[in-house]
Amino acid sequence: MELFPGLVVLVALMVSVGAEGGVGPSNNSSFCSESKECLEYELVCKTDEYEVRHYSPTRWVSTDAEAYFMGVGAAVAFRRLFQYITGDNNGGLQMEMTAPVLVRIPEETRIWEPAIYTLSFLLPAAYQERPPTPTDDKLYFTEMPSMDVYVRSYGGWMLSVTSRLHAHLLTKELVRVQADYNHTYHYGVGYDSPLKLLNRHNEVWYVAEGEAVCSDPQEPTPPHTPTPPHTPNATPNATHTPNTSHTPNATHISSSTIADSPSDLPANRPPTPSQAPEVTPSQGPVVGESPSANSSDSQVDGPWNNTVEASLEDTPSDNSVADPTDLNLA
């Protein structure tokens, strides 16, 4: 009977460790350095146009906002979530801000109809298993499953126009490489505090369906020039002269020409007809190589919690209408 409680504790610890596997300390050398904890991932592959990342299961606190523009809806939702992590919960607990912030954006939106935007904060590792209950009934918890995502990164501000632009560029490339992905929504992802001006980092995510595509199926096959077969020489000791009567643009060098020295021939005496060589051209393979390089760098500074409260004074309430061009949201 005493073994059963111990088994329960062991299972609880295993679940807790699994829940915290996707949240870890920030890395100052990466683009996620403003917050103390960030969402961890495994880089599957990287091309010139996108990355493929694998994310472990994590828990988020989320809320929905209806708006005509992504920026307006996200600002309203951001205020609710920030109040939750600063004490509006049943325990009055204050939590550190994490990164990134996710905005789930529906693919099919009409300019004359409002859309539902879902904003989510990543719960810190200490609260992944048992987060405090929100006092606002508009907040709920989201279980993010294990998934592979296609990622496109860009700088500046995550506005409605820029987010749609980079989402379009990413889907255009995914269609070209024949990748399968979820077509109903995508994520707008921000890593920086609202008042940061320089070296900002944003992303667009599309969830992969099936096996992620890391290579280009339409990439042409590298050129290859076959080597012609060699014919044995009739006179092994004869001196060979390159035959230039064919293929004017190619240079052919016989191996025996390199081996024999001109000093071995009698001086001032041409070879006799019996010594006339049979010339067989040889050609080495032509190898082409096209190196490619891809690098990225990013730099961030400034704490979240020291700047967000200042931005809340200018944030519209749930029933207000804001000009989307004035919104700068991470």
Side-chain angles (χ1 to χ4, degrees):
M1 296 297 294
E2 295 180 356
L3 295 176
F4 184 73
L7 180 61
V8 172
V9 173
L10 179 60
V11 172
L13 289 175
M14 292 175 63
V15 173
S16 176
V17 171
E20 296 179 8
V23 183
S26 62
N27 186 351
N28 291 330
S29 63
S30 70
F31 46 79
C32 185
S33 60
E34 278 194 277
S35 59
K36 292 184 178 180
E37 291 183 315
C38 299
L39 180 65
E40 296 181 331
Y41 66 89
E42 176 187 356
L43 181 63
V44 178
C45 66
K46 187 174 183 179
T47 71
D48 293 338
E49 299 295 332
Y50 62 84
E51 295 179 5
V52 177
R53 301 177 186 170
H54 176 76
Y55 287 95
S56 301
T58 47
R59 181 172 293 171
W60 304 64
V61 57
S62 307
T63 187
D64 301 328
E66 186 179 61
Y68 287 94
F69 300 98
M70 183 270 291
V72 176
V76 173
F78 188 95
R79 182 184 184 90
R80 298 177 195 159
L81 295 175
F82 188 78
Q83 289 174 345
Y84 167 76
I85 67 173
T86 54
D88 283 359
N89 51 70
N90 61 352
L93 301 176
Q94 294 190 2
M95 293 171 274
E96 293 284 347
M97 185 71 190
T98 57
V101 174
L102 299 186
V103 185
R104 178 167 168 160
I105 305 171
E107 285 295 290
E108 296 183 2
T109 58
R110 298 177 176 85
I111 193 172
W112 60 86
E113 293 180 355
I116 302 298
Y117 299 94
T118 303
L119 196 76
S120 299
F121 280 9
L122 176 66
L123 290 167
Y127 300 100
Q128 279 283 309
E129 178 62 22
R130 295 182 179 178
T133 303
T135 56
D136 189 345
D137 58 2
K138 295 180 180 179
L139 273 63
Y140 56 92
F141 297 115
T142 301
E143 304 291 337
M144 194 75 71
S146 175
M147 61 183 181
D148 292 334
V149 297
Y150 296 103
V151 181
R152 178 181 173 88
S153 303
Y154 64 97
W157 300 91
M158 190 174 70
L159 305 176
S160 298
V161 175
T162 56
S163 179
R164 288 289 182 184
L165 171 62
H166 289 281
H168 170 73
L169 295 176
L170 179 55
T171 55
K172 182 179 179 181
E173 179 65 14
L174 295 179
V175 170
R176 191 186 72 83
V177 299
Q178 304 174 14
D180 292 330
Y181 61 95
N182 193 312
H183 293 257
T184 60
Y185 68 91
H186 68 273
Y187 288 106
V189 187
Y191 288 85
D192 304 307
S193 61
L195 298 183
K196 186 181 180 184
L197 301 178
L198 301 177
N199 298 319
R200 300 181 61 85
H201 183 87
N202 310 295
E203 294 172 351
V204 174
W205 291 2
Y206 277 93
V207 179
E209 293 185 345
E211 185 176 357
V213 177
C214 294
S215 60
D216 189 352
Q218 300 182 11
E219 187 176 20
T221 303
H224 172 70
T225 303
T227 302
H230 293 271
T231 303
N233 295 328
T235 308
N237 296 328
T239 302
H240 297 274
T241 303
N243 185 1
T244 59
S245 61
H246 69 286
T247 314
N249 296 329
T251 302
H252 302 275
I253 301 176
S254 175
S255 59
S256 60
T257 304
I258 300 176
D260 296 336
S261 171
S263 60
D264 295 336
L265 298 176
N268 300 324
R269 187 177 64 185
T272 61
S274 62
Q275 295 178 328
E278 292 185 4
V279 179
T280 301
S282 63
Q283 181 179 356
V286 179
V287 180
E289 183 177 2
S290 299
S292 61
N294 193 356
S295 61
S296 61
D297 57 352
S298 55
Q299 180 180 359
V300 292
D301 53 11
W304 269 92
N305 295 339
N306 293 337
T307 59
V308 174
E309 295 180 359
S311 66
L312 291 179
E313 299 178 358
D314 298 330
T315 304
S317 63
D318 291 7
N319 299 325
S320 62
V321 178
D323 185 358
T325 58
D326 297 334
L327 176 64
N328 293 325
L329 171 66

